[in-house]
Amino acid sequence: GTGIYEIDAATGSFSQIATLPAANSAYQAVRYGDQLFVVGLDDNIRIYNYSAGSWSAGDAFDLGLSDLYGLGVKGNGTKATGFWVTSVGTQVSYFALEAYTASGTIALGDFSASPAGQQVVFEIQDSDGLIRTYEATLDENGAFEIPNVEPGDYTVAIKASHWLRKVISPLTMPSNDQYFGTIDLVNGDCDGDNEVTSTDLSVILSAMDSLEGDPTWDPTADLDGDLEITSTDLSIVLANMDMLGD
């Protein structure tokens, strides 16, 4: 049928609250506050909104997925902010209802080459402890963008190749695109253990005087990005010795 019904668990009474546009298109419905999410056999998600004592049709989403069969809704206690759907092949996908772009600039400490193409990993943890990992590629100015970030407070861990990890908490994402300024990262973590120690010094010494393509070349030892391992790279480790990342 085309009807969506709400049942009073205490009395067993029920009433029809919505009518779908096509027969047999309702598979599962989840209510969150004054919103009702319906996943259909036509592989669409429809949202109904409750106001002034009645339900009305809201947004509809064709997610481009096939064989939708499960639905979960995430909210902030007042309204829904996104939803999960399961689809063929046990795939779980999340869609934010309100999301914006977070951007900023990464200053790669003691790096003389262009930052263009450098990969930076962002671990974004929300107030519920859910972690999203996003890998951004810097442009020639060190700029990055992270799309589809919901408004809220986050703890963000930032790590690039041989730079120490930096954690920013809280980082507040407003209800609009937001530029978060320049974030400085400390160089010298050759072995990636998030601290600068004698082990990193050993990496530099083992590759000393090598050029890219040489048998002893190690890209993690090229701290300044000039494609050769020299006393400059050694000086970076010595200057930042015993520093720890967040």
Side-chain angles (χ1 to χ4, degrees), residues 145-168:
E145 288 189 349
I146 304 174
N148 301 319
V149 182
E150 298 175 43
D153 293 330
Y154 297 91
T155 296
V156 180
I158 305 164
K159 182 74 171 75
S161 180
H162 44 74
W163 287 269
L164 297 176
R165 182 177 63 184
K166 185 164 190 174
V167 174
I168 301 175

Side-chain angles (χ1 to χ4, degrees), residues 6-14:
E6 185 168 57
I7 302 173
D8 188 319
T11 65
S13 62
F14 62 91

Side-chain angles (χ1 to χ4, degrees), residues 20-22 25 36-40 42 44-48 58-61:
L20 297 175
S25 60
L36 180 72
F37 293 76
V38 180
V39 59
D42 58 357
N44 283 275
I45 300 288
R46 293 179 175 83
I47 301 177
Y48 292 82
D59 295 325
F61 301 90

Side-chain angles (χ1 to χ4, degrees), residues 39-221:
V39 59
L41 298 178
D42 58 357
D43 295 329
N44 283 275
I45 300 288
R46 293 179 175 83
I47 301 177
Y48 292 82
N49 301 300
Y50 185 76
S51 179
S54 63
W55 291 89
S56 60
D59 295 325
F61 301 90
D62 181 354
L63 304 179
L65 301 172
S66 59
D67 296 336
L68 302 183
Y69 59 86
L71 174 66
V73 179
K74 176 186 177 183
N76 59 15
T78 302
K79 66 177 182 177
T81 58
F83 57 88
W84 292 271
V85 291
T86 53
S87 56
V88 64
T90 66
Q91 176 181 348
V92 179
S93 303
Y94 179 73
F95 297 87
L97 293 173
E98 182 184 11
Y100 302 94
T101 297
S103 62
T105 302
I106 298 293
L108 298 173
D110 297 306
F111 195 66
S112 58
S114 169
Q118 291 292 320
Q119 301 294 308
V120 180
V121 176
F122 295 80
E123 288 188 349
I124 306 168
Q125 180 172 315
D126 65 16
S127 57
D128 295 324
L130 297 175
I131 296 178
R132 169 192 175 192
T133 300
Y134 185 82
E135 186 171 300
T137 301
L138 302 183
D139 69 8
E140 65 276 7
N141 298 312
F144 67 88
E145 288 189 349
I146 304 174
N148 301 319
V149 182
E150 298 175 43
D153 293 330
Y154 297 91
T155 296
V156 180
I158 305 164
K159 182 74 171 75
S161 180
H162 44 74
W163 287 269
L164 297 176
R165 182 177 63 184
K166 185 164 190 174
V167 174
I168 301 175
S169 181
L171 185 147
T172 299
M173 186 70 187
S175 296
N176 54 263
D177 293 341
Q178 181 73 10
Y179 177 76
F180 288 100
T182 299
I183 301 166
D184 297 307
L185 299 184
V186 174
N187 207 342
D189 183 21
C190 299
D191 62 358
D193 66 352
N194 203 34
E195 57 183 331
V196 182
T197 67
S198 59
T199 302
D200 303 296
L201 187 62
S202 297
V203 173
I204 298 291
L205 293 175
S206 296
M208 184 60 70
D209 296 328
S210 64
L211 304 173
E212 186 178 31
D214 288 349
T216 57
W217 167 258
D218 186 342
T220 65

Side-chain angles (χ1 to χ4, degrees), residues 17-33:
I17 61 176
T19 300
L20 297 175
N24 299 319
S25 60
Y27 182 81
Q28 182 182 358
V30 176
R31 180 176 177 176
Y32 192 98

